[in-house]
Amino acid sequence: MHQRARWRFAAPALLCVLMAGLLASAADAPTRNGQPTVARCDLEGVVDAGTGGYLSDCVARATAAGHDALLVRLDTPGGSLEATRHIVRAFLASPVPVLVWVGPSGAHAGSAGVFIALASNVAAMAPGTNIGAAHPVVGPSGQSPEAVGGEQMARKVENDTVAFAESIAQQRGRNVQWAASAVRDSVSVSADDARALRVVEYVTPTEADFLAQADGRQVTVAGGESVRLSTRDAHIVTLEPTLSQRTVHALANPAIVYLLFLVAALGLVVELSHPGAIAPGLIGVVALVLALVASSALPVRAGAVLLMFAGVVLIVAELFVTSGLLGAVGVLLLGLGGLFLVDRFDPEWFMDHSFQVSWTWLVPTTVALGGAAAYVVYRSAQTRRLPQRGGDLGLVGERGTALAPVTPESGEVFVHGERWHATSTAPIRSGAHIVVRGMEGLTLFVDEVPT
């Protein structure tokens, strides 16, 4: 009987799970009826663990659903070497033709984006886009790789990256010499030059034009199989990233990481300087956890984070010292922490020069958060300086009424909504107004207030 009851309740839940699975499969499945289908996904922003997993999933989902091709729209300043290799491996091992379009106009395939575009079966760029600058170690002020990690280390990293680019270009039949120069000399070219140099196959303003031009082209996919593309007037099926992939990618932004670390520092310092506030500490802990998650997807300098924490501490200290110097230095440290937050020296990352916390965002945010921190702590300090309203000291200065005659030995008064035993150095008549001068145990020392 109990087993039947359990099955009666479990059956609807199982049916819901099966229906959800069928709906998810239907979303990826192609609509045939003689019309080709192309799966589509976007890589916009940093190449990180989230986008690496997303594009690899796109290849797997396009293969499982039997789509005619996978179209990837690319616009990236670069990113993680590990995530880039993950994507390249998925593209090279894909049984479904992979098409990469760098667009729309104004987009670029910088640094790590070069390897992703090279790994596609067919690549195109929109007018007004560019591709290149794939050097793995680039300093913010143009220092040479030797100045960063030593000549031997720089040469080893560079040679390994060049070999990586050359092997991809050779396998896809693209310009091997240009691929090497993009790494060694940070060469970057426009869309028209990229087509002339055999870096990409087409220059097309839209994805639809790209699919139309690529239609009928013969490409070689994994296993050496030759496939003729059927992409003209194809039905596009957009593949969305998972929630975790979307979250990691959204956090992988230097400005977001900078803001999270500032909020974390502000919340924790305010909580430590004024214990019991709870809200600042809770906000600080949540922001710190999110900042650490985001840091795993970006090359973040620990020293820059310490600079930001030190800046917040100095701003808080300024409210107690009020010299002006500590606050100014604190704001300066906040700015420097944001400026050096992203480590573009990291050889495990291929980043464009523009990938950092921009000055147009850094200056107003730093000043605003510094001012907010100063205001919050200032108001907290004001609160701490207010007279105590509870406990022994909270009764001193309070006024009341004598309920019975008060003498040096005994008496009774009404103060703060309560009856108290009281004594006085001078006799006080019943009904007189009194003021509390002190307290010992549960007995108040009072004086009469002249009328």
Side-chain angles (χ1 to χ4, degrees), residues 21 24 28 39 51 65 75 78 85 104 131 143 155 271 292 294 394 417-418 435 450:
D28 287 350
T51 52
D75 180 13
R85 289 186 180 276
I131 184 172
Q143 294 111 315
R155 185 177 304 169
E271 180 66 31
L292 293 176
E418 299 174 318
V435 59

Side-chain angles (χ1 to χ4, degrees), residues 185-208:
D185 305 318
S186 293
V187 174
S188 181
V189 295
S190 65
D192 290 329
D193 290 340
R195 179 178 57 182
L197 291 168
R198 293 187 300 108
V199 178
V200 300
E201 285 70 38
Y202 304 106
V203 176
T204 60
T206 65
E207 296 177 17

Side-chain angles (χ1 to χ4, degrees), residues 39-85:
R40 180 188 180 278
C41 55
D42 280 318
L43 197 171
E44 184 173 359
V46 183
V47 180
D48 51 50
T51 52
Y54 169 50
L55 289 186
S56 298
D57 285 350
C58 284
V59 172
R61 291 164 65 183
T63 302
H67 291 294
D68 293 280
L70 170 64
L71 173 64
V72 178
R73 185 184 72 83
L74 183 63
D75 180 13
T76 178
S80 164
L81 172 59
E82 181 181 356
T84 302
R85 289 186 180 276

Side-chain angles (χ1 to χ4, degrees), residues 304-321:
V305 176
L306 292 178
L307 281 177
M308 290 188 287
F309 271 85
V312 172
V313 171
L314 289 179
I315 290 175
V316 174
E318 169 64 32
L319 300 175
F320 297 95
V321 179

